[in-house]
Amino acid sequence: MAFGKGRGNKRSSTTSYASTITMVIFVALCVIGVWMLSSNSVIPPQITGASTRTAIAETERSDVVSASSNGNDEPEPTKPESDDQPAFEDNPGKLPDDAVKSEDEQQKSAIEKSDKTSQAKKFPEAGEGGKQSQKETQKQEIQQNNEKFPEEKEKDNDKENKAVQENGEGQMKQVVKEFEKEQKKQRDEDAGTQSGNSKGTQEQQEQGQGKESQDVEQGKKQGQDQDSNADVTFTDATKEEQPMEVGQSDTSENSKNEANGQQQQEDQHSGKEETGQQNEENIEENGKDQKSMKDENGQQDEHNTTEDESGSKEEHSMTTKDENVEQQEEKKDEKRQEGSEAGGFGSGIPKESAESQKSWKSQATESKDEKQRQTSESNNADSIMGGKTWVLCNATAGPDYIPCLDNEEAIRKLTSRRHFEHRERHCPEDPPTCLVSLPEGYKESIKWPESRDKIWYHNVPHTKLAEVKGHQNWVKVTGEFLTFPGGGTQFIHGALHYIDFLQQSLKNIAWGKRTRVVLDVGCGVASFGGFLFERDVIAMSLAPKDEHEAQVQFALERKIPAISAVMGSKRLPFPSRVFDLIHCARCRVPWHIEGGMLLLELNRMLRPGGYFVWSATPVYQKLEEDVQIWKAMSALTKSMCWELVTINKDKLNGIGAAIYQKPATNECYEKRKQNKPPMCKNNDDANAAWYVPLQACMPKVPTNVVERGSKWPVNWPRRLQTPPYWLNSSQMGIYGKPAPRDFTTDYEHWKHVVSKVYMNEIGISWSNVRNVMDMRAVYGGFAAALKDLQVWVMNVVNINSPDTLPIIYERGLFGIYHDWCESFSTYPRSYDLLHADHLFSKLKARCNLAPVMAEVDRIVRPGGKLIVRDESNVIREVENMLKSLHWDVHLTFSKHQEGILSAQKGFWRPDTSQ
C-alpha cells in the first residue's frame, strides 16, 4: 500500500510540470504569431533613432524616383534593401502616407507604432479574432495619419494630376535629363575621354546613397543648398519658383503642384542633413567639384549633380597631366563650354570670344554708308508686356504690310525714282509696334510639297497676276485655291523640263553637285526655285514688290524661299563671290545701261568660275529692240571677260538660253586694251553690302590659294560638313578656338541639339514646318543639322556680328545680312519656324525689344513656332511679351542664367487699330 501510494504522488507531480511547460510554449507561440502578424504593417521596434531616420530617408528617395520615372498614376512599390527593412506588403502598388512625411513626423509615427506593437505582445489575441483586431488597428492608424496630415493626401492628388500630363511636364523633364546626358557625352568625346568611363560614372551617381534623385527639380534644390553663389532662375508668370512650365505656365494648379513638390524636397533635404553621413560626404564632394568649375569670365558657376560628379573629376585628372600649349588651350575651351551650357539648355558652346571680334569684320564696319541706328525711347516696353498697347497697324497695305517697303511718308519725299529707289528699303525711324491683321478667311497654309502646286485663295487673295499671266501658266484661280501649273513665261510646259534643258546644254552645271546655291533674279512666283529642290539645289528667289502683285508672297505661301528686293541704287544684302549660278528668265532688268552697273552687281556676287544663265527674249527673238539689247549685252559681257559658253534653244517651250561663265583668274582682266568697266580700287571692299551704293567696277579674282574665291568648293553634300579651305588654324574662330575646329564644334553641337531635343521633345510637329529662319546664324550649324528634313533655312547674319555669311554659302547653304532693329524684307506670315540663339540679349543694347517682338509676330504664320535660347532674364522678358501677344508658351526652362523657350503663335488679333 505504501509503495502504491508513493507512485501515485510522483505521477501527479510530473503531469503538473508538463502542463506548465505546455502552457508556456503555447503563450510563447501566441506572442510570436501576433508579432509576426504585426511586423507586416508596422516598423519593427528595434529600428529607432538614427537607423529609423536613415530607413525613412531611403524610402523617401525611392518614392521620388518612382514618381518621377514612371508614367503611371501610382508609383511603384518600394523594395526592401535588407531583411531588417521589410516592404509594405499590405499595400502593394502605392506607398503608405508616412513614406512621404517629414523626418520628424516619420520618427514620431514610428515610435507610436512601436508602442502599439509592444502592447500587442503583452496582450496577444489568438485565432481569427487577433487578426481582425490587427486589421482594425492598422485601418485606424491610416485614418489617423490622413486626418493628421491632410497636406500629404493633397500631395498625392497633385502627383496624380502631374502623372496625367505624360506629354506635358514629364516629357519636358525628360528633355532636360536627356539633353544634359547628351551634352555631357559630347564634352567627354571632345576631351578625349572614353564613353565607358562616362557610363560608369553615371551608374555610380545613380546608385550613390547620398544622391537624392536624377530628377532635375531636386538637382536644382540641392545646388542651391550647396553653393550660396548659385543662380537658378525659374520663369513663371505667378512669380513662384517653378523650374518647368508646360502649356499655359501661369495656371494656378501647376503652380500649386510645383510648390508642394518643392516643400517635399525641402523635407527630404533636411532629413538627409541630420543623419545621412554618406549624404554629407557626397554634398561636400559636390561642393568641391562645383568650386573647381569656372565660366568664361573666371567666375564660379554650378552644374547639376550629374555633370559635377563626372565632368569635374575628369577635368581635375586632366590638369595633372603634362600637356602641350594646344591641349591646354583646348582644356580652357572645354571649361568655358561647360560653364556656358549649365543645365543643358545653355548655348552648348562657349560664348563669342572678345578676341575674335578683332579678327573678324562685320557689315557695320565693312559698309561705309551703314545706316546709324537711333534707339527709340518712345516705346514703353513695360506697357507692351502688360498686353495693353498692342493695336492693329493702320497701313494702306493692310494684311500685306512690310514696314520698310511700305513707308509711304519716306517714299513721298524721294527726289528721284530713276533707279527704282521707291522699291528699296526705307525703314521708319521709330520701328512699329503694331500688329498686322489677317486676311479675311485665312486658313493654316497647305503642307509641302502639295503647297508647291496650290495654296488657299483667301491666304493671298490677289487675282491680278492670274488675270495677266494666267495664259503663261504662272498662276490660276481654281475654286477656293490658287494653282500653279509649274510653268512660267519661259517654261510653260514645266519647270523641271526647263531645268533639265539647262543641264543638257552645259553638263558642267551638275545640279546638286557642283552647283548648289543659286540666285534667281526676277523670280516671278519662284517655280524655278521650287522645282530645283528635286535636283538638290537651293535658290534665293528675288523680286520687287511692284505692279506684279504679290509674286513673292505667292512664292512664300507655296513654301519656296524668296525675298522682296530690287536691283536699284544699292547693293543687294549678300557677300561677294558666293553664288554658284545666277539665273534670269525673261527678267526685264536693263543689264546693259549705265555702264552695266546692274550686271556688275551680279558679277560681284557670282563665284569665280560660276555661271550666269540668261533666257530672255533678246537671246532667241529677232525683234528690233531685242536685237539691240543683245548687241549691247554681248559687248558688255565681253568687256567683263565673261565667256559665252553656249547658246541653246528649247524646242518644246520655244525659248533659248545663253550661259556665261565668270573668269576664275585675272589673266583676261590684265589683257584688256581698255579699262572698261574699271577694276575696283584696292580700298573698295566687295563684301560691304548693307546700304552701300552700287559700284560700277569689278573686283579682282583672288589669287592666293588660302583666300576665299581662289578655288571652287568641294561638291555637295560633302561641302556641308567640310571646313572651307580658306579657314586655317592660325585664324581664331568666333568662339576662341582655331577656326576649323570652331567650325566643327559648332556643327557637332547643333547636330546634337537638333537630334536629341528639337526633333522630339519640345512640341514641334516637323511635318508642319517648311520655311525656317535662323535669326542669328553663326556658321550655319543649325541649318546644317536640318539637312535631312524637307525644310529650307534662311540664315541671317546680323550686321554688327562677325561676318560669317560667306562660310554659310561655302558649305552649300544661303542667307542674308540684316539688322533686327529694322523690319525684314518679307511679307507677313512668311515663316513656319523662327530660331533665335542668344539674339535678343545682344539686341537689347541697341534697340527696344517690343518692336522686335512685333516683327517676329508679323513674320510667323498662325500656328508657327518660335524657339529662343538666351539668358534667363531675357527669356522671362520674351515670355511675358509673347503671352501678351496671346502666343501659347509650351516650354520655358531657365537655369544658371541660361534658358530656352518654345512658343506657338495663334490667330489672335487686337480689336483696335492705330
Side-chain angles (χ1 to χ4, degrees):
M1 292 294 294
F3 179 78
K5 186 177 182 180
R7 282 178 106 180
N9 292 339
K10 187 176 182 180
R11 186 180 296 113
S12 175
S13 175
T14 302
T15 303
S16 175
Y17 179 75
S19 300
T20 302
I21 293 176
T22 303
M23 181 62 69
V24 171
I25 294 174
F26 177 79
V27 172
L29 290 174
C30 291
V31 172
I32 292 173
V34 172
W35 179 82
M36 292 180 66
L37 290 174
S38 63
S39 64
N40 289 331
S41 59
V42 298
I43 299 176
Q46 63 268 27
I47 303 179
T48 58
S51 61
T52 301
R53 291 193 294 270
T54 303
I56 293 174
E58 292 297 326
T59 304
E60 287 183 329
R61 286 193 291 274
S62 300
D63 179 39
V64 174
V65 171
S66 62
S68 62
S69 61
N70 294 336
N72 302 326
D73 293 341
E74 295 182 354
E76 295 181 357
T78 304
K79 296 181 180 180
E81 295 184 1
S82 66
D83 295 337
D84 294 334
Q85 189 176 347
F88 295 95
E89 298 175 354
D90 60 323
N91 188 18
K94 185 172 182 180
L95 292 175
D97 293 334
D98 61 352
V100 293
K101 295 178 185 177
S102 67
E103 187 272 336
D104 293 336
E105 293 170 347
Q106 290 170 339
Q107 182 178 357
K108 183 177 180 181
S109 177
I111 294 174
E112 291 175 357
K113 291 181 179 181
S114 299
D115 294 340
K116 292 181 179 180
T117 304
S118 300
Q119 293 177 3
K121 289 182 178 181
K122 293 179 181 179
F123 304 99
E125 297 182 20
E128 197 67 24
K131 294 182 180 179
Q132 183 69 24
S133 176
Q134 182 64 32
K135 291 182 179 179
E136 292 177 357
T137 302
Q138 182 180 349
K139 291 181 180 179
Q140 291 176 0
E141 290 175 0
I142 295 175
Q143 184 176 2
Q144 289 174 1
N145 288 335
N146 290 337
E147 293 175 356
K148 187 174 182 179
F149 304 105
E151 66 277 7
E152 302 301 336
K153 185 175 181 180
E154 184 178 355
K155 289 181 182 179
D156 290 340
N157 293 335
D158 292 339
K159 286 183 180 179
E160 293 178 359
N161 292 335
K162 288 183 180 181
V164 174
Q165 302 175 359
E166 292 185 10
N167 295 325
E169 182 175 355
Q171 186 180 16
M172 294 307 110
K173 289 180 182 178
Q174 184 63 29
V175 177
V176 180
K177 185 183 295 185
E178 178 66 22
F179 191 76
E180 289 175 345
K181 288 181 179 179
E182 294 298 333
Q183 288 290 73
K184 179 61 184 64
K185 180 180 178 181
Q186 181 64 33
R187 289 197 303 275
D188 290 342
E189 293 175 355
D190 293 340
T193 59
Q194 296 181 355
S195 60
N197 294 337
S198 175
K199 293 180 180 179
T201 303
Q202 291 180 2
E203 290 176 359
Q204 292 176 3
Q205 292 170 351
E206 293 173 357
Q207 296 174 0
Q209 296 179 355
K211 196 171 185 303
E212 289 188 68
S213 171
Q214 288 293 331
D215 187 85
V216 175
E217 297 180 25
Q218 293 185 350
K220 293 173 182 173
K221 180 61 184 176
Q222 182 177 359
Q224 287 177 321
D225 293 335
Q226 292 169 1
D227 191 353
S228 59
N229 294 326
D231 184 9
V232 181
T233 304
F234 304 132
T235 58
D236 188 359
T238 62
K239 307 300 182 183
E240 297 181 8
E241 290 189 348
Q242 179 175 334
M244 190 70 61
E245 297 184 11
V246 181
Q248 291 293 341
S249 59
D250 55 347
T251 58
S252 60
E253 181 177 357
N254 287 345
S255 300
K256 186 175 182 180
N257 291 345
E258 292 296 337
N260 289 337
Q262 184 177 356
Q263 180 63 38
Q264 180 177 344
Q265 294 167 13
E266 292 175 356
D267 294 340
Q268 294 170 349
H269 190 73
S270 62
K272 180 188 66 177
E273 286 182 339
E274 289 181 7
T275 60
Q277 182 178 1
Q278 181 64 34
N279 293 356
E280 292 175 356
E281 293 175 356
N282 285 343
I283 290 174
E284 182 180 359
E285 182 181 354
N286 289 342
K288 291 179 180 179
D289 290 339
Q290 288 177 337
K291 289 181 180 179
S292 67
M293 303 293 290
K294 293 185 178 180
D295 59 10
E296 179 185 8
N297 298 321
Q299 298 183 1
Q300 293 182 353
D301 195 7
E302 66 170 3
H303 280 261
N304 56 41
T305 307
T306 304
E307 292 175 343
D308 285 341
E309 295 185 2
S310 55
S312 298
K313 290 180 180 179
E314 292 166 2
E315 288 185 358
H316 179 71
S317 63
M318 290 175 62
T319 58
T320 62
K321 298 179 181 180
D322 184 14
E323 300 173 328
N324 56 36
V325 176
E326 182 177 356
Q327 288 175 333
Q328 291 177 354
E329 289 298 327
E330 183 175 353
K331 180 175 144 321
K332 292 179 181 179
D333 293 337
E334 295 297 336
K335 284 188 177 182
R336 287 197 297 267
Q337 176 177 345
E338 292 186 40
S340 67
E341 56 180 302
F345 278 129
S347 63
I349 49 180
K351 295 183 179 180
E352 290 187 11
S353 170
E355 290 80 4
S356 68
Q357 296 287 343
K358 300 177 182 179
S359 59
W360 289 79
K361 292 183 178 181
S362 68
Q363 279 298 307
T365 57
E366 289 175 335
S367 302
K368 293 177 293 185
D369 297 332
E370 195 273 324
K371 186 178 180 181
Q372 297 297 322
R373 297 303 314 149
Q374 300 293 331
T375 301
S376 174
E377 302 296 338
S378 60
N379 296 315
N380 189 331
D382 293 336
S383 61
I384 289 291
M385 287 188 288
K388 299 180 180 179
T389 61
W390 296 117
V391 295
L392 292 177
C393 297
N394 187 20
T396 304
D400 302 332
Y401 178 47
I402 305 175
C404 290
L405 298 183
D406 294 320
N407 189 352
E408 296 179 352
E409 181 180 355
I411 293 174
R412 284 196 298 265
K413 295 179 181 179
L414 293 175
T415 57
S416 172
R417 299 190 178 189
R418 179 183 176 186
H419 297 99
F420 297 91
E421 291 90 345
H422 59 295
R423 305 294 185 193
E424 294 181 322
R425 290 172 57 85
H426 301 282
C427 297
E429 292 185 5
D430 292 333
T433 57
C434 59
L435 306 182
V436 178
S437 60
L438 294 176
E440 185 177 353
Y442 182 88
K443 300 179 181 180
E444 288 192 10
S445 58
I446 298 174
K447 295 181 181 180
W448 178 268
E450 290 79 12
S451 61
R452 186 174 59 184
D453 301 325
K454 64 179 181 180
I455 62 175
W456 295 112
Y457 165 76
H458 288 290
N459 287 11
V460 192
H462 301 293
T463 58
K464 182 177 180 179
L465 201 59
E467 295 168 359
V468 175
K469 299 289 186 179
H471 66 287
Q472 296 178 356
N473 280 0
W474 276 37
V475 56
K476 297 181 178 181
V477 180
T478 308
E480 59 180 347
F481 299 102
L482 291 168
T483 58
F484 303 87
T489 307
Q490 298 302 95
F491 32 91
I492 298 177
H493 296 284
L496 271 180
H497 170 79
Y498 174 77
I499 291 169
D500 292 338
F501 156 70
L502 297 179
Q503 174 71 80
Q504 294 167 4
S505 300
L506 184 62
K507 295 185 182 301
N508 201 37
I509 286 180
W511 296 122
K513 294 181 180 179
R514 183 183 188 272
T515 300
R516 164 64 181 175
V517 186
V518 171
L519 176 65
D520 186 17
V521 182
C523 65
V525 295
S527 291
F528 179 68
F531 283 91
L532 275 176
F533 283 108
E534 295 194 14
R535 300 295 182 261
D536 222 1
V537 177
I538 55 174
M540 177 76 73
S541 299
L542 177 77
K545 186 176 182 180
D546 58 9
E547 63 273 4
H548 284 168
E549 190 178 54
Q551 53 186 337
V552 169
Q553 192 174 16
F554 283 137
L556 290 166
E557 187 68 20
R558 296 175 70 188
K559 309 295 182 72
I560 301 171
I563 62 167
S564 292
V566 65
M567 298 193 67
S569 64
K570 296 182 177 63
R571 288 178 175 175
L572 292 173
F574 308 114
S576 66
R577 310 187 298 271
V578 291
F579 289 103
D580 303 333
L581 182 145
I582 297 179
H583 175 259
C584 174
R586 197 162 179 159
C587 55
R588 296 186 176 276
V589 180
W591 301 115
H592 59 287
I593 66 172
E594 297 187 349
M597 183 176 294
L598 299 183
L599 195 63
L600 290 172
E601 172 63 1
L602 295 189
N603 182 77
R604 180 186 73 88
M605 298 182 294
L606 186 61
R607 194 182 299 279
Y611 296 107
F612 173 61
V613 178
W614 189 38
S615 60
T617 55
V619 176
Y620 56 90
Q621 289 187 359
K622 301 301 180 182
L623 299 176
E624 180 62 25
E625 181 182 6
D626 292 326
V627 171
Q628 294 301 322
I629 293 176
W630 173 255
K631 289 182 179 180
M633 276 291 289
S634 297
L636 176 61
T637 54
K638 185 176 181 179
S639 66
M640 293 172 57
C641 293
W642 281 16
E643 179 186 359
L644 179 58
V645 180
T646 183
I647 299 179
N648 207 357
K649 188 170 184 179
D650 179 13
K651 296 181 180 180
L652 179 63
N653 287 311
I655 59 98
I659 303 178
Y660 299 88
Q661 185 175 25
K662 178 180 176 178
T665 67
N666 292 313
E667 182 179 358
C668 177
Y669 297 146
E670 296 170 352
K671 292 181 178 180
R672 290 189 308 164
K673 295 181 180 181
Q674 294 182 344
N675 191 28
K676 291 184 180 180
M679 304 303 294
C680 296
K681 297 179 180 180
N682 293 333
N683 60 356
D684 187 350
D685 190 346
N687 288 315
W690 189 247
Y691 289 112
V692 175
L694 289 175
Q695 305 292 324
C697 64
M698 295 185 298
K700 291 184 178 180
V701 175
T703 56
N704 193 327
V705 293
V706 296
E707 189 175 355
R708 181 175 66 85
S710 61
K711 293 193 300 184
W712 196 266
V714 298
N715 283 350
W716 177 267
R718 191 159 57 93
R719 65 193 280 189
L720 179 71
Q721 57 190 16
T722 304
Y725 63 89
W726 39 270
L727 286 181
N728 56 74
S729 298
S730 62
Q731 180 181 7
M732 180 183 292
I734 303 302
Y735 303 108
K737 297 180 181 180
R741 186 151 56 89
D742 223 36
F743 174 95
T744 303
T745 299
D746 178 83
Y747 180 45
E748 294 299 326
H749 161 70
W750 285 114
K751 282 199 307 181
H752 199 71
V753 171
V754 168
S755 63
K756 298 300 181 183
V757 181
Y758 289 1
M759 286 296 100
N760 304 311
E761 306 296 351
I762 60 174
I764 293 180
S765 175
W766 287 91
S767 62
N768 297 326
V769 175
R770 172 66 180 175
N771 300 6
V772 180
M773 177 185 288
D774 191 356
M775 299 178 70
R776 181 183 167 267
V778 180
Y779 296 118
F782 171 67
L786 299 177
K787 170 186 174 293
D788 295 330
L789 298 183
Q790 290 191 346
V791 303
W792 59 268
V793 181
M794 179 70 75
N795 293 281
V796 178
V797 172
N798 294 263
I799 63 162
N800 62 329
S801 298
D803 188 2
T804 55
L805 192 53
I807 298 176
I808 292 173
Y809 277 91
E810 194 78 6
R811 66 192 306 185
L813 307 170
F814 60 35
I816 193 171
Y817 294 120
H818 184 58
D819 181 2
W820 282 112
C821 293
E822 299 179 354
S823 172
F824 192 79
S825 294
T826 190
Y827 281 88
R829 305 170 300 278
S830 295
Y831 286 85
D832 303 308
L833 173 66
L834 263 58
H835 181 259
D837 180 33
H838 288 77
L839 168 68
F840 299 113
S841 57
K842 296 180 178 297
L843 285 178
K844 289 187 66 174
R846 302 179 55 243
C847 50
N848 200 317
L849 284 190
V852 180
M853 295 309 301
E855 180 67 3
V856 168
D857 184 86
R858 187 185 73 86
I859 292 176
V860 178
R861 291 189 173 108
K865 310 294 193 308
L866 170 67
I867 301 175
V868 180
R869 301 162 65 93
D870 218 310
E871 299 171 1
S872 296
N873 61 326
V874 176
I875 291 289
R876 179 184 292 275
E877 187 174 351
V878 170
E879 179 188 14
N880 290 338
M881 282 191 281
L882 288 175
K883 287 181 178 179
S884 70
L885 288 165
H886 294 253
W887 283 50
D888 183 11
V889 179
H890 289 306
L891 165 68
T892 57
F893 176 84
S894 297
K895 185 177 181 181
H896 307 285
Q897 300 181 356
E898 294 288 334
I900 186 171
L901 177 146
S902 174
Q904 182 176 18
K905 179 181 175 181
F907 283 77
W908 175 84
R909 297 287 87 181
D911 296 329
T912 58
S913 301
Q914 283 181 334

